[in-house]
Amino acid sequence: MSKKEWPLWEIFIRSKAGLSHKHVGSLRAADAEMAVENARDVYTRRSEGISIWAVESKDVYASDPTEADSLFEPSDSKVYRHPTFYDVPDGISHM
Amino acid sequence: MSALFEYIIRLGDDSLILGHRMSEWCGHGPILEEDIAMTNIALDLVGQATSLLNYAGQVEGNGRDGDKLAFLRYDREYKNTLLVEQPNGDFGTTIMRQFLFDAYRKPLFEKLQNSSDKQLSAIAEKSLKETKYHLKHSSEWVIRLGDGTEESHQRIQEALNTLWRYSSELFYTDEVDATLLSQGIITDIAEIRAEWEVTVKNVFEEATLQIPSNNWKQEGGRKGMHSENMGYILAELQYMQRAYPNMEW
Amino acid sequence: MKDINISELERKFQEKIDKDIKIEPKDWMPDDYRQTLIRQISQHAHSEIVGMLPEGNWITRAPNLRRKAVLLAKVQDEAGHGLYLYSSVETLGANREETIDDLHSGKAKYSSIFNYPTVSWADMGAIGWLVDGAAIMNQVPLCRCSYGPYARAMVRVCKEESFHQRQGFEIMVQLAKGTPVQKEMAQDALNRFWWPSLMMFGPNDAESKHTAQSVKWKIKRHTNDELRQMFVDATVPQAELIGLTIPDKDLKFNEETGHYESGAINWDEFWEVVKGNGPCNKDRVDTRRKAKEDGMWVVEAANAYAAKRAIRKSA
């Protein structure tokens, strides 16, 4: 890391109780505390959140898009995992 | 002039003038994230000034509203402390000025929440939430700069040496305070000062900063006697209202 | 991946674009696409940040407390928008600080509108109304831009900017119905900002070297001239409504097309300002460079403190 620059952090915000934290963007901060405070000022100026997660960008390990075929396509053929795969006789509800 | 009016004016002017100073940073902050943070503080302070000065106008009952009070008084009628009118200097000076002020404002608003004056207690309750955040922000920065690099330590210590002389005025009291104390509207400033001293001592200790041994004090703002800075602040603040009097904007 | 040749990748890429499938940071993309985005998004980010200065100029002189708070909040939003945009640039592998250094060295451009001075309070109205109005015309289609992070940043920016134009127009309305001095101030601001606002959409389509490719890649969804026309059509009736005169003696409404036709834009002025010869180019860039240089010790101190604390924690 350059001395002249703060590390990059990915910011996740929970917009209200009951919802998951959602990625909103990134920012720079020298430490985790500052990352959360900066996120408060940058990403919740209009009451967009009630909880903030900050993760240093270098700690995010991501899947490789060139492997998307082998990672995600096999599940496309497993249609039996979805309820619509099954026939339910008329007159049956709540199933 | 009522003691209550005078007291609210003192609180309101501190917010107004410090908000003015903080707003000078907008667009010039050391890094984008901090620019945004400082503007948030400026916005909180302008908001506090608006509530307080509107209420002062109401207490006075002569038809002056927050804008009339903010923009159309003479310099001697502004009652902010000398501390808040001091120039921004470098980022360290701004942070030190903010820290000395926040450490006083937090216990002050905490006590004022219990004021027998309902309006004042409501304003204090709202402002306290903002001030707690300001204090967290300014203390963390004092510590970072104090215990950061050699250069930052030197700069923030220098800021403390410069601004320390203005800190005692935060606890200035006179007959205004005595009157309101007897009416249960405010509490004894000694309690606020005691808390301020603890905060300041702890933060400076962590920041490895030395409180100046020089006990030279500067006071006057609370009585309307300001530093040379005030004229320039008012020249900008009042520019539109003075140059184009009696117009709606 | 090694087996697939570049033209095959490019074909697949264009296929995704044509099907309106968003491109995400780690997806393969042609180098030109990446470079075009880096250039466009960082210019956009710089425009937000430099754009703070002409309005920031009036914060301490705002005429009342309400206007002061609104202006502070608006300029602060611009800082936020700059940040969202720098954050999208970084997803393309460009480094924010290097991008900013390009601005400071004069290598990178920003919207030339911000090289005009703000000399009266009415300019706060004119900027909100015209400059933000023009910016919105440009930005709304960008919410559907093919690059995911840019499109998402623009959705956020557009949502937040909806109050910016309104607050500017409100200032103009107030001035236009005010005293003769106020009305004159408003007209004067309109006179100065009208033509530079039209120039914000960039050169005519015939002169614009990037447009065709950008439209094909869905980085741009409308041409410069289309957007400019939308802006004129929307703005002229607003000026009439509040009794201000658009400073264009050739402006007329064409009944057949249903569009306004503007007089000729002074493109010599535009190119001079782009080259750096506008009234405020030097001041704006110097101011931003100074802010960064003055803040360098703060950035270093925070890094040093974070490093010390990390050591203490692990000890």
Side-chain angles (χ1 to χ4, degrees):
Chain A
M1 182 188 66
S2 148
K3 238 185 106 190
K4 308 278 180 198
E5 213 168 10
W6 291 340
L8 193 66
W9 298 75
E10 299 301 322
I11 304 302
F12 301 80
I13 307 266
R14 186 201 295 287
S15 56
K16 60 180 185 186
L19 296 180
S20 324
H21 287 75
K22 194 177 157 208
H23 184 246
V24 291
S26 62
L27 48 74
R28 292 198 174 269
D31 52 51
E33 232 168 5
M34 197 201 278
V36 168
E37 283 167 32
N38 288 348
R40 174 245 194 206
D41 292 328
V42 173
Y43 291 108
T44 68
R45 293 196 303 285
R46 289 174 170 76
S47 323
E48 293 97 333
I50 54 159
S51 162
I52 296 170
W53 286 351
V55 180
E56 217 181 311
S57 307
K58 69 173 173 56
D59 294 330
V60 175
Y61 187 80
S63 63
D64 181 348
T66 62
E67 288 173 4
D69 293 4
S70 58
L71 282 174
F72 308 115
E73 276 177 28
S75 71
D76 290 353
S77 59
K78 299 183 177 60
V79 287
Y80 42 79
R81 287 197 198 275
H82 300 278
T84 48
F85 178 74
Y86 301 93
D87 289 329
V88 176
D90 292 345
I92 300 285
S93 51
H94 305 298
M95 183 182 276
Chain B
M1 194 186 307
S2 83
L4 183 58
F5 173 79
E6 181 70 9
Y7 185 80
I8 306 166
I9 283 288
R10 289 175 182 180
L11 291 181
D13 286 346
D14 272 352
S15 298
L16 179 71
I17 302 302
L18 190 59
H20 180 95
R21 281 300 194 206
M22 274 312 247
S23 75
E24 291 174 4
W25 272 102
C26 188
H28 308 273
I31 184 166
L32 213 38
E33 285 82 348
E34 190 54 30
D35 202 304
I36 296 172
M38 287 198 283
T39 306
N40 252 1
I41 295 171
L43 271 170
D44 287 342
L45 290 166
V46 171
Q48 290 170 12
T50 307
S51 316
L52 287 162
L53 295 177
N54 274 329
Y55 182 42
Q58 216 177 303
V59 168
E60 186 189 41
N62 285 341
R64 290 202 285 183
D65 61 5
D67 280 330
K68 284 233 163 60
L69 288 166
F71 295 92
L72 289 169
R73 279 177 289 157
Y74 296 118
D75 60 332
R76 297 289 175 99
E77 295 169 313
Y78 286 83
K79 302 296 170 62
N80 54 282
T81 53
L82 297 180
L83 177 70
V84 298
E85 68 194 50
Q86 294 310 304
N88 286 344
D90 66 3
F91 179 73
T93 308
T94 293
I95 283 295
M96 183 55 76
R97 184 184 62 201
Q98 190 68 37
F99 169 68
L100 293 171
F101 181 75
D102 294 338
Y104 142 80
R105 271 289 184 120
K106 181 181 157 271
L108 176 75
F109 282 138
E110 263 163 3
K111 304 284 185 228
L112 279 179
Q113 282 187 111
N114 306 319
S115 170
S116 61
D117 185 288
K118 287 296 156 241
Q119 183 83 26
L120 195 54
S121 116
I123 295 174
E125 195 186 331
K126 178 174 182 293
S127 307
L128 176 62
K129 291 186 190 124
E130 298 164 349
T131 306
K132 275 183 179 167
Y133 186 78
H134 301 172
L135 178 61
K136 182 172 155 60
H137 177 263
S138 60
S139 340
E140 283 172 4
W141 268 114
V142 166
I143 294 166
R144 273 189 203 109
L145 298 177
D147 193 18
T149 61
E150 208 172 301
E151 179 185 4
S152 70
H153 177 84
Q154 217 170 347
R155 281 177 183 258
I156 190 91
Q157 180 67 57
E158 188 60 39
L160 173 55
N161 297 348
T162 306
L163 294 173
W164 186 248
R165 74 194 64 155
Y166 302 109
S167 59
S168 71
E169 194 185 14
L170 296 169
F171 310 102
Y172 170 88
T173 55
D174 58 15
E175 65 287 350
V176 169
D177 303 78
T179 308
L180 298 183
L181 189 60
S182 70
Q183 295 167 350
I185 293 175
I186 63 169
T187 50
D188 192 349
I189 195 87
E191 296 170 42
I192 294 160
R193 182 166 206 156
E195 199 174 315
W196 179 83
E197 279 169 357
V198 172
T199 310
V200 162
K201 184 176 159 288
N202 290 343
V203 169
F204 288 164
E205 215 167 81
E206 210 181 327
T208 70
L209 294 176
Q210 294 296 322
I211 291 178
S213 51
N214 184 342
N215 268 327
W216 176 40
K217 297 297 175 200
Q218 287 294 302
E219 296 183 355
R222 285 281 188 250
K223 280 291 194 193
M225 208 35 235
H226 294 279
S227 64
E228 290 178 350
N229 300 301
M230 197 63 181
Y232 294 97
I233 293 176
L234 295 184
E236 274 190 54
L237 181 72
Q238 299 186 340
Y239 166 69
M240 290 296 294
Q241 291 290 346
R242 297 296 188 197
Y244 305 93
N246 303 315
M247 298 183 201
E248 293 296 321
W249 302 96
Chain C
M1 165 123 192
K2 287 176 213 109
D3 307 334
I4 310 172
N5 61 37
I6 292 289
S7 67
E8 176 63 11
L9 284 168
E10 271 176 2
R11 194 187 58 75
K12 282 198 165 163
F13 174 82
Q14 190 62 47
E15 219 174 78
K16 273 170 88 177
I17 301 262
D18 294 342
K19 281 195 220 152
D20 276 328
I21 298 174
K22 296 277 185 239
I23 307 301
E24 293 296 339
K26 290 175 144 251
D27 293 344
W28 186 89
M29 60 187 88
D31 200 45
D32 280 353
Y33 177 83
R34 184 186 301 274
Q35 293 314 324
T36 303
L37 278 171
I38 291 178
R39 195 191 65 240
Q40 182 176 332
I41 306 173
S42 58
Q43 268 183 22
H44 194 163
H46 299 332
S47 301
E48 296 283 354
I49 301 308
V50 175
M52 296 170 74
L53 301 174
E55 288 173 286
N57 182 32
W58 279 88
I59 291 171
T60 57
R61 290 179 291 169
N64 59 44
L65 291 166
R66 177 173 178 268
R67 294 279 179 222
K68 191 187 284 288
V70 169
L71 189 59
L72 261 171
K74 177 178 190 272
V75 179
Q76 185 196 37
D77 273 349
E78 281 152 18
H81 299 168
L83 210 151
Y84 307 157
L85 290 162
Y86 284 127
S87 144
S88 338
V89 175
E90 297 208 79
T91 63
L92 290 157
N95 172 286
R96 168 167 136 192
E97 292 313 306
E98 284 168 15
T99 315
I100 291 175
D101 289 340
D102 284 346
L103 168 71
H104 296 170
S105 71
K107 197 175 135 200
K109 302 289 179 218
Y110 54 89
S111 183
S112 20
I113 191 88
F114 303 119
N115 292 316
Y116 291 88
T118 52
V119 296
S120 83
W121 171 251
D123 292 2
M124 298 304 100
I127 289 183
W129 175 35
L130 302 174
V131 177
D132 286 277
I136 290 167
M137 289 285 169
N138 260 321
Q139 289 170 350
V140 167
L142 287 174
C143 297
R144 294 185 298 125
C145 154
S146 61
Y147 186 58
Y150 191 26
R152 291 192 287 275
M154 291 321 299
V155 168
R156 223 184 154 86
V157 167
C158 288
K159 215 194 278 172
E160 298 189 356
E161 284 212 340
S162 54
F163 97 80
H164 291 185
Q165 192 187 13
R166 282 188 185 198
Q167 67 84 34
F169 193 61
E170 193 190 84
I171 290 175
M172 293 306 259
V173 170
Q174 185 71 46
L175 294 175
K177 69 175 189 201
T179 62
V181 148
Q182 286 175 303
K183 189 162 182 184
E184 195 185 315
M185 194 189 275
Q187 183 63 53
D188 171 67
L190 173 58
N191 293 349
R192 282 178 292 108
F193 278 95
W194 175 254
W195 291 104
S197 299
L198 295 191
M199 293 178 203
M200 279 178 73
F201 297 95
N204 288 128
D205 293 348
E207 310 288 323
S208 175
K209 54 178 181 180
H210 302 299
T211 297
Q213 184 56 270
S214 289
V215 169
K216 187 169 171 237
W217 277 334
K218 295 189 184 169
I219 291 175
K220 250 183 143 159
R221 319 266 332 199
H222 299 283
T223 69
N224 296 351
D225 288 334
E226 285 167 6
L227 291 165
R228 190 167 13 242
Q229 186 63 52
M230 284 159 69
F231 173 74
V232 172
D233 288 342
T235 314
V236 173
Q238 294 165 356
E240 280 168 2
L241 188 79
I242 60 174
L244 296 179
T245 311
I246 301 284
D248 178 356
K249 58 180 173 21
D250 299 323
L251 183 77
K252 56 175 183 295
F253 187 70
N254 183 329
E255 295 284 352
E256 247 167 70
T257 59
H259 293 296
Y260 284 92
E261 287 168 6
S262 312
I265 292 174
N266 180 354
W267 291 112
D268 292 341
E269 175 183 323
F270 173 76
W271 289 114
E272 279 305 313
V273 180
V274 169
K275 267 192 284 180
N277 301 328
C280 300
N281 295 59
K282 188 175 180 317
D283 290 348
R284 300 290 187 241
V285 174
D286 285 353
T287 303
R288 287 307 309 160
R289 191 189 307 113
K290 184 174 184 302
K292 181 169 175 175
E293 283 166 5
D294 289 353
M296 208 56 97
W297 69 274
V298 178
V299 173
E300 284 170 10
N303 270 340
Y305 176 73
K308 280 188 202 175
R309 209 173 51 161
I311 292 169
R312 275 176 221 151
K313 258 188 194 165
S314 64

